[in-house]
Amino acid sequence: MRSARSLPIRRTRLAARCTAGALTVGVAASLLLAAAPPASAQSTTDDGADLASRFTFAVLPDTQFYSRYSAEQFQPRYGTDPFATQTQWIADNAETLHIPFTAHVGDVVDRANVAAEWQAADDAISILEEAGQSYSILTGNHDVLDSSDTLVDTDYDLTAEPFLKWFGTDRAASDPSYQGSDPTGFSRYHIFEAEGQQFMVLTLPWRVSDATLAWADSVMAEHPTLPVILTSHEVLNIEADGETPRETDYGLMLWDKLIAGNDQIFLTFNGHFHGASRLTKINDFGHEVHEVLIDYQMAYEGGNGYLGLFEFDLTNGRITAQTASPWVVSKPQETLTSYDQPFLEGAQQQYGIDIDFAARFAGFDPTFGEGSTPDEPSLTQRARDILLDGFDGPDPIDTELPGDERDFVEAEGTVAHWRFNGLDGVVDADTVIEDVAGDNDLRRVDPASTNAVGAEWGDVTVESTDVHGFSSDGAAVCFADSSATRYSYLTTAADAAINDVDLSEGYTIETFVKLDADWTAAQNGWSKALVRTGNRSWTEMPPSQWDYTASPTALGISNLREFQYSSLSAEASKGDRVNWSGEIMTGSWSHVAIVNDPDTRTTTMYVDGAPVLRNAVDTVGMTWNDGMPWILGADWVDDAARNGWHGCIGETRIIDRATTPADWLTQRADLSGLQVSSAPTGMLPAGTETVTFSGMGLPGADVLVTTSDPAAGDAVAAAASTPSAASSAAAIVDADGRWTLALTGLSAGSYDAQVVQSLGARTSDPVAAQFSIAAASEPTPSPTPTAPGEGGGSGSEPGGGTGGTAEGALPATGLDQSLLMSLLALGGALLAVGATVAFRARRRTRD
């Protein structure tokens, strides 16, 4: 086994995470998301403080799921939808927050050929128009009929594109900020005025042509003194940690061909990639350009109404960003969940950008000033006050990164838990992927024994350099060069107990998955990550056009990069029940949890902690075929494998009951229960060189005691060992939760000891113990083993420690130290006898 992998501790809030997922946790991470503290924790400032010339620039991230589910889910449940709530809030507060302009960054709808979605978007945008609020809007990949990377805007049939029918240039021209468009009508530019200064907003469509880039150059050349905010659906991506920016080939193309050579562009906004990030680059003029990604479509409720509010402070030279949701605060109280936080407060969701506007723009506009009305207090705080007025929200979800591979929550009812740490390199015939919860180990199927075309042993490897941040496993199995015909997979043994496990009364399936960056729909669509193999035609499922000979249960990815979970419930005659996520990004990790709850008769899919919108109802448990194995890495249809997973799969766990996020692998083990039941205290006899500590802790955790050497000032530390293996160097709490450790090599002096338990980088709060060792000339009391005083834990088990009287055991009598020491010396023998009798009595009781 390789050594424990240490990870830095980072606190984050999951809006699902999570991230988000989203949580997130997307992290992203990829849709790992940071949630705000409860409303009661927010503070306000004096409206008269820090007056400056300010305005707010609003950004609407991808609204595709708001448009798609407006009529189906949001309107029936709430009477409105997030998109319309966002625009209504902007319209209602535009004057108060000085909002001169709102920018949409694309993916207005989810399905470009569905008129109902465009109607929902039309209803939302009409609110801005009716209020006289200027805005820009552009196409994302979901807003055009063919989003293939082989096509650019000039290749489209302009007469057929729905975006131009619903949001064409004639409609844009009714906005006084609109100044013109390129020949396709997709790209446009607007000019708005705020605080006596003018700014241009330049919009670019999905997959811009060189001709359109030339048009953009010409527009800026015609307005050479205007600072430019560029909006496009894709510029910047995000890493799996949910924070770090990642540049894309398309974004670099825009940089090279447009942004770097136009000093007027100082700020960009884009969506498309799930989460939030930002990157500062230096253009050809030596000046900073700030690229900002903001997209929450994979968060709770398709984004939960989060938008960006960017306060421009022209007086002090700063842009202050915050991520807020008018939708959250508009919901009925009884509908709120822990995901409903009015603000996201992660590092990429609340931040400031220092920018001396006059100096930054001096190269093309030497007259740019500090604004015309420097009399506004913080608009960021004002927006917070408006949103939080009367809002009594739920507590957010807390989580943090794991300390090492031990740092996860053991879940009651776990029937299998497959982990990959300790493995490395090619998964061959001798490799065993251990089920750490039982005897359901996985092994690789010999490629030569399958119908796979071209598959090799080297196609499957265990890797540890790139894993989901909230998986404590620290490793994953990766399947390379997979397709419909080339595949590899891992399987349980023919006689594994899990093959026949009864999950008819509810279950939870968890896994961490990633699609390779070169994933394509043609090669990899409809592939599967986890399958309970079998054949639906062997069950009571009625004949069906779709998947009648597929396995009863499977988790995979569609041709549209949506997670699909399809399963026959325990009532197979009702047919399958299917869950669908939103669009999943390639090259990014996701945590997927499938929870079947018999009480609600629902199956809910969570991606990075956030429940998806399309979940299954009227479903309890699952049907299975006796003796059929579980597999990872491929689909199983017509009694054979096919459609290999092109990407990686991390630790995977199956539980025989419905769970909550508190039970999931994204949560951390509880380190708060450290108890120190015996420790040295008070004055110890001269010549004492060794003292012993003991207590209770988390099985498998490290326990460490540290103190300073009064003579040398160096730290002295001893690791815990089990009572039955005192000479062992293993720094662990034993399986019964007991630990004992000893400090050796001590000398006369006073000691402040700290006892902690930890899992790698994550450590508990310390328990303190104080003691002293008398010098050779000092009288000392006889030792008595005691429990620590202040800061000590509870516990009834005696330790083997050497100690004096417990801290705080003596009353405050006002006697001086010499008299107290004399009294202690006179009573030492009696104390020793009494302690020995009591210790033996307790020992006999325990034994």
Side-chain angles (χ1 to χ4, degrees), residues 658-678:
T659 62
T660 67
D663 300 304
W664 294 349
L665 293 169
T666 51
Q667 299 303 303
R668 306 281 68 90
D670 184 7
L671 291 175
S672 65
L674 174 66
Q675 298 178 8
V676 181
S677 56
S678 180

Side-chain angles (χ1 to χ4, degrees), residues 413-433:
T414 298
V415 296
H417 185 183
W418 297 297
R419 309 192 94 206
F420 301 95
N421 67 79
L423 303 174
D424 192 25
V426 173
V427 178
D428 58 24
D430 296 324
T431 304
V432 177
I433 291 87

Side-chain angles (χ1 to χ4, degrees), residues 788-801:
E790 293 292 329
S794 60
S796 60
E797 293 298 326

Side-chain angles (χ1 to χ4, degrees), residues 445-461:
V445 174
D446 186 342
S449 68
T450 72
N451 293 323
V453 178
E456 301 174 354
W457 284 110
D459 292 348
V460 183
T461 55

Side-chain angles (χ1 to χ4, degrees), residues 459-472:
D459 292 348
V460 183
T461 55
V462 172
E463 301 178 10
S464 57
T465 57
D466 178 17
V467 295
H468 194 290
F470 287 102
S471 169
S472 65

Side-chain angles (χ1 to χ4, degrees), residues 21 47 58 99 123 201 206 229 263 266 285 300 310 403 480 504 526 574 600 627 644 693 791 807 813 843:
D47 283 345
I99 305 176
D123 293 341
V201 175
W206 177 253
I229 301 170
D263 197 28
F266 71 101
F285 303 84
Y300 180 56
F310 295 83
S504 61
W526 304 110
K574 292 186 174 182
T600 59
F693 296 76
E807 181 182 340
T813 62
R843 182 65 175 267

Side-chain angles (χ1 to χ4, degrees), residues 343-355:
F343 295 96
L344 301 180
E345 297 196 338
Q348 306 291 21
Q349 295 148 337
Q350 301 270 358
Y351 56 86
I353 298 173
D354 292 323
I355 174 171

